[in-house]
Amino acid sequence: MTQSVGLNRELTLGQRKLRAKFENASPQFRKAGELLPGGQIYHLQTGWACQFGSLSNGSRAIVDVFLPGDMIGLDSALHTERPEGMVTLTAVTMRAIMAEDALLDLMAYRPAALYVAWVLGKRQQRADLRLAAISCLDASGRLAMMLLDFYTRLRRKELVTGSTYNLPLTQVQIGNYLGLTVVYINRVLRSLRESGIVNLEKHCVTILDLERLTRLAVTEE
Amino acid sequence: MTQSVGLNRELTLGQRKLRAKFENASPQFRKAGELLPGGQIYHLQTGWACQFGSLSNGSRAIVDVFLPGDMIGLDSALHTERPEGMVTLTAVTMRAIMAEDALLDLMAYRPAALYVAWVLGKRQQRADLRLAAISCLDASGRLAMMLLDFYTRLRRKELVTGSTYNLPLTQVQIGNYLGLTVVYINRVLRSLRESGIVNLEKHCVTILDLERLTRLAVTEE
DNA sequence: CGATTCCTTGAAGGTTGTCAACGTTGGTGG
DNA sequence: CCACCAACGTTGACAACCTTCAAGGAATCG
């Protein structure tokens, strides 16, 4: 079940097409904590953002985290009903295009349509993995998985080379992301630090023992 | 931000196109608990199925549940890497088409491409909602949310009219779906029954107090 | 009717949440 | 420069939620 070369070629063509649409938009700057208006597709160029799902209750969870280079808002474009919000986590620079216009144009070109579906599927994969993790793993496992996820994604984008990277989330936000409370996040972080597995302070993650961290993310023993 | 009529028209056109592709496939029958081969797109016509995400650990969680009428496997079509599996929960009848061939054909037709994106987004919405629920709600809240979700989806498909429906999941499977253990699922079910909110026995759900159930699903008080 | 799977219940213990307080940091204005 | 303020981080004690272990009952199927 290997991906055909023809498909891969079309995907890169589609990616190029989508990127080209963003070239025409002027870059925007936003401060940390700003809510991004719906109905638009964003290309995040610098900084982090997230999507949160809110219960009718009012309490909200962080449902996904976006890194520099990510495309955001493709999925909300066709579903105007639920007003799930996107928020910047840091100061960001990004470009925006109108979702519906862009989609109508993109979807007329098969490589772009395939690429859009690919991006949607990618986000779905992250959601599935996190659902499985939250269901199966305890606090330290989830934390390990999150730290590893960001680490590998940043490396793939070549934004990190060493074993240390910058994590702009506050501990409250980490809690909202993992379904845990701040207090407990803090305790687990301390235990991870004291075990010499990973260190997080001043928004700076240092992986001390990659092997043990990986083992944690997959349910310790 | 209302959805334009033109878009809606295209979506129904796309849906028709996709349905048409399935008409040419002969119906298949499978027993409960069978694993569905990847690389294909399925149209579930009768019975329930699910998708599970497995950790390298071996433990697996149920990540999404599919009801009669649902399209399955669209997202895994473009991502051959992670072999996440789909499994039937009951005996089913369904039609299958080859994922890659079908996608290459569908994506060349804009309405179909839009519809595919819409289906992908719909599944993503469910995942987001469940992530938020698992993060924010306790056991009874999650259970209430699940029971309500199936209830409303079945009603929308007009597979249920009264306040009672058939739930084929075993309690073990409900646990895997909600990230809880069987034992506790059982206790919470008993408490819900004794409170006169909802009754589940012999795979038959009876909603006794819809209002309180809804309030639970949204964090009690 | 045996055998398997599923459901059900009790008791004990661990993981996580809640409450409350204090330390730390960074920014703002006097 | 210092004082203040607000947001974030840190820690302890205790309670609640949920899991684990263990066992027995009910249902389904050969």
Side-chain angles (χ1 to χ4, degrees):
Chain A
M1 202 196 336
T2 88
Q3 215 154 280
S4 75
V5 280
L7 187 61
N8 267 328
R9 250 186 54 78
E10 288 217 25
L11 285 175
T12 65
L13 279 178
Q15 182 183 44
R16 204 168 299 159
K17 162 89 173 179
L18 185 48
R19 291 248 164 99
K21 282 194 89 66
F22 279 106
E23 298 298 338
N24 302 328
S26 55
Q28 299 183 13
F29 302 87
R30 295 184 183 269
K31 284 183 287 191
E34 273 190 58
L35 198 140
L36 299 177
Q40 298 192 283
I41 305 176
Y42 301 94
H43 188 201
L44 195 58
Q45 306 190 304
T46 296
W48 293 37
C50 73
Q51 176 141 13
F52 61 84
S54 33
L55 265 23
S56 353
N57 172 21
S59 64
R60 21 161 139 155
I62 293 182
V63 156
D64 203 356
V65 171
F66 303 112
L67 272 39
D70 284 344
M71 305 275 184
I72 321 180
L74 273 175
D75 50 312
S76 62
L78 294 173
H79 298 274
T80 56
E81 312 127 23
R82 185 182 317 286
E84 290 195 328
M86 297 172 290
V87 178
T88 58
L89 291 168
T90 68
V92 302
T93 86
M94 60 189 189
R95 298 174 194 257
I97 56 182
M98 294 306 297
E100 191 167 322
D101 301 346
L103 274 182
L104 285 178
D105 182 26
L106 287 169
M107 292 312 218
Y109 176 55
R110 190 173 79 177
L114 284 167
Y115 181 67
V116 168
W118 185 85
V119 172
L120 290 174
K122 205 72 188 162
R123 177 153 135 60
Q124 180 74 59
Q125 276 194 353
R126 281 203 303 274
D128 287 351
L129 188 60
R130 241 153 59 59
L131 272 172
I134 290 189
S135 289
C136 299
L137 271 46
D138 64 350
S140 57
R142 295 183 212 173
L143 210 29
M145 169 151 281
M146 183 196 76
L147 294 173
L148 273 177
D149 179 43
F150 293 152
Y151 181 61
T152 56
R153 282 166 74 191
L154 288 172
R155 277 188 86 93
R156 198 175 310 130
K157 292 168 191 285
E158 295 176 356
L159 295 171
V160 167
T161 53
S163 63
T164 180
Y165 66 92
N166 191 61
L167 176 71
L169 299 190
T170 69
Q171 293 190 3
V172 176
Q173 290 166 334
I174 296 176
N176 289 341
Y177 185 58
L178 298 180
L180 300 164
T181 59
V182 206
V183 179
Y184 200 61
I185 291 283
N186 192 305
R187 287 194 223 286
V188 176
L189 280 177
R190 174 162 53 133
S191 106
L192 287 178
R193 185 183 330 125
E194 287 170 354
S195 311
I197 296 180
V198 64
N199 188 27
L200 167 55
E201 55 184 335
K202 272 299 281 166
H203 292 188
C204 182
V205 177
T206 311
I207 296 178
L208 305 170
D209 188 337
L210 183 58
E211 196 206 332
R212 273 200 293 165
L213 188 63
T214 315
R215 233 183 305 135
L216 259 188
V218 144
T219 292
E220 180 87 281
E221 63 219 85
Chain B
M1 201 196 337
T2 88
Q3 215 155 282
S4 74
V5 280
L7 188 60
N8 267 327
R9 249 185 56 76
E10 288 218 24
L11 284 175
T12 64
L13 279 178
Q15 183 183 44
R16 204 167 301 158
K17 163 89 173 179
L18 186 48
R19 292 246 164 99
K21 282 193 88 66
F22 279 106
E23 298 298 338
N24 301 330
S26 55
Q28 300 181 11
F29 303 88
R30 293 184 184 267
K31 285 184 287 190
E34 273 190 58
L35 198 140
L36 299 177
Q40 298 192 283
I41 307 176
Y42 300 94
H43 187 201
L44 195 57
Q45 305 190 304
T46 297
W48 292 38
C50 74
Q51 177 143 11
F52 61 84
S54 34
L55 265 24
S56 352
N57 172 20
S59 63
R60 20 161 138 157
I62 293 181
V63 157
D64 202 358
V65 171
F66 303 112
L67 271 40
D70 284 344
M71 305 276 184
I72 321 180
L74 274 174
D75 49 312
S76 62
L78 293 174
H79 297 274
T80 55
E81 312 126 23
R82 185 182 316 287
E84 289 193 329
M86 298 172 289
V87 177
T88 58
L89 292 168
T90 67
V92 302
T93 87
M94 61 190 189
R95 297 175 195 256
I97 56 182
M98 293 308 295
E100 192 167 320
D101 301 345
L103 275 182
L104 285 178
D105 182 27
L106 287 169
M107 291 314 219
Y109 176 55
R110 190 172 80 177
L114 285 167
Y115 181 67
V116 167
W118 184 85
V119 172
L120 289 175
K122 206 70 188 165
R123 175 152 135 62
Q124 181 74 58
Q125 275 194 353
R126 281 204 303 273
D128 287 352
L129 188 60
R130 240 152 60 61
L131 272 173
I134 290 190
S135 289
C136 299
L137 271 46
D138 64 349
S140 57
R142 295 182 213 173
L143 210 29
M145 169 149 282
M146 183 196 77
L147 294 173
L148 273 177
D149 179 42
F150 293 153
Y151 181 61
T152 55
R153 282 166 74 191
L154 288 172
R155 278 189 86 93
R156 199 174 310 128
K157 292 168 191 285
E158 296 177 354
L159 294 171
V160 168
T161 54
S163 64
T164 180
Y165 67 91
N166 191 61
L167 177 70
L169 298 191
T170 69
Q171 293 189 5
V172 177
Q173 290 165 335
I174 296 176
N176 289 340
Y177 186 58
L178 298 179
L180 300 165
T181 58
V182 206
V183 179
Y184 202 60
I185 292 283
N186 191 301
R187 288 193 223 286
V188 176
L189 280 176
R190 174 162 54 134
S191 107
L192 288 178
R193 186 183 330 126
E194 286 171 354
S195 311
I197 295 179
V198 63
N199 189 28
L200 167 55
E201 53 183 337
K202 273 295 284 164
H203 293 188
C204 181
V205 177
T206 310
I207 296 178
L208 304 170
D209 188 336
L210 182 58
E211 195 206 333
R212 273 201 292 165
L213 188 62
T214 314
R215 234 184 304 136
L216 259 188
V218 144
T219 294
E220 180 87 283
E221 65 218 84

